[in-house]
Amino acid sequence: MDKNTLLQVWPIPAFDDNYIWCIHDGKSALVVDPGDSAPVLEYLEKANLQLKGILITHHHADHTGGIFNLLNALGPKIPVYGPVGDNIPGRTDIVMEGDKIEIDSPRLSLKVFEVPGHTLSHIAYFANMQANVVEPMLFCGDTLFASGCGRLFEGTPTQMSQSLAKFAALPKNTLVFCTHEYTLSNIRFALAVEPNNVNLISWAERAQELRQKGLPTLPTTIGQELQVNPFMRCDQAEVIASAKAVSDQTDLPTPAHVLAVIRAWKDRF
C-alpha cells in the first residue's frame, strides 16, 4: 500500500458517550483512548485492520480501561504512548511537550502538547503538513470539547486557559477529535453565556439535526470553536459580561479569571 494513502479517522462509540478514534490507512490502525476493548476489536475485525499502536491522552479509566485486553488479544508488543506522571496500564512510551512520534504504519507524524487542566498530566496529539493528512488533526482527549472544555479535576483555571490557548494558535482548519459526545449539553450552556452569538445559534440547530439523525457532532474545528466555544472566547465582551453577572465580580482581568468563573458556572449548570 502506498505510504501516502490518505488516512481515515473513524469514531468507535463506547459506553454512553465516548468516542474511541481509530486512525487508519485501510490496512494498519492506531486507536486513541480505548476505554473499552470490545468495540475496538469488533471494528478492527469488521474493517480488516491491524492495530499498530495506542495513543493515550490521560489516565482516566474510560480512556485506558481497554488497553490490557487489546494487548492480550492482539499482541503485547503493540506500542502504547502516554503522558509522564500518570499510571497508564501497559504504557511503553512516555511522551511529553514537543516530542515527535513517528509511526511507520499507518504513516503518521504526531507532535505532543502538554495540556493540563482536566488532569495534571493530560496531553494531546497533533498531526499536520503530511502528504496523507488532508487537514491538520488534533486528538485532544478531554481538554477541549465541541462548545466546551473538560471539568477541572486536577488542574487550575490558569492551566486550562493556557492549554486552550495552545489549541487556539493551531491552524483554524484543524480537525478536533474530542472523546465525548457532550455537544448538545455544551451548547445549552454556551447559549446561556452568549445568547446573542449568531454563529452559536446556527451551530445549535445544525448539531441538533446531526444528533437526531444519529450522527456524531464531531470532529469540530479550531476555527469553529473560536466562534462558538465560550471557554475559547474568554476575551470576548459578552462572555466577560456574563461572567461578571453570575459572579458579582467587577474585575476579571485575564481570560483565566473569566474561565474560572464560567467553568464553575458550568459545573452547577
Side-chain angles (χ1 to χ4, degrees), residues 54-225:
I54 297 172
L55 305 173
I56 301 297
T57 62
H58 66 292
H59 64 82
H60 288 161
D62 63 321
H63 296 253
T64 63
I67 295 173
F68 276 144
N69 283 345
L70 288 174
L71 297 179
N72 289 336
L74 302 175
K77 293 186 178 181
I78 294 170
V80 179
Y81 301 89
V84 67
D86 283 339
N87 181 21
I88 306 295
R91 179 185 52 198
T92 61
D93 294 70
I94 293 173
V95 292
M96 58 190 70
E97 178 79 21
D99 282 352
K100 284 281 188 72
I101 303 172
E102 301 289 347
I103 297 168
D104 289 333
S105 183
R107 186 67 178 164
L108 186 61
S109 176
L110 294 162
K111 182 179 180 180
V112 177
F113 292 110
E114 292 180 356
V115 285
H118 181 66
T119 66
L120 287 176
S121 297
H122 203 300
I123 60 174
Y125 302 89
F126 177 65
N128 192 18
M129 302 299 290
Q130 298 170 57
N132 58 342
V133 176
V134 176
E135 306 286 0
M137 301 187 301
L138 176 68
F139 298 91
C140 59
D142 285 358
T143 299
L144 175 64
F145 296 127
S147 305
C149 77
R151 190 182 289 262
L152 301 178
F153 285 118
E154 298 173 13
T156 66
T158 295
Q159 287 176 318
M160 179 61 85
S161 181
Q162 292 169 345
S163 295
L164 295 178
K166 288 183 182 180
F167 294 161
L170 296 176
K172 287 186 171 60
N173 64 335
T174 299
L175 297 172
V176 180
F177 296 93
C178 322
T179 45
H180 288 277
E181 184 58 72
Y182 289 164
T183 307
L184 294 186
S185 63
N186 285 341
I187 288 173
R188 284 193 292 273
F189 175 72
L191 285 168
V193 179
E194 282 194 285
N196 301 307
N197 183 331
V198 293
N199 293 311
L200 178 58
I201 293 167
S202 175
W203 168 227
E205 295 174 359
R206 198 160 72 252
Q208 186 69 49
E209 290 172 0
L210 288 169
R211 295 308 292 150
Q212 286 174 347
K213 295 175 182 176
L215 297 173
T217 57
L218 302 169
T220 180
T221 67
I222 292 296
Q224 163 91 347
E225 294 312 302

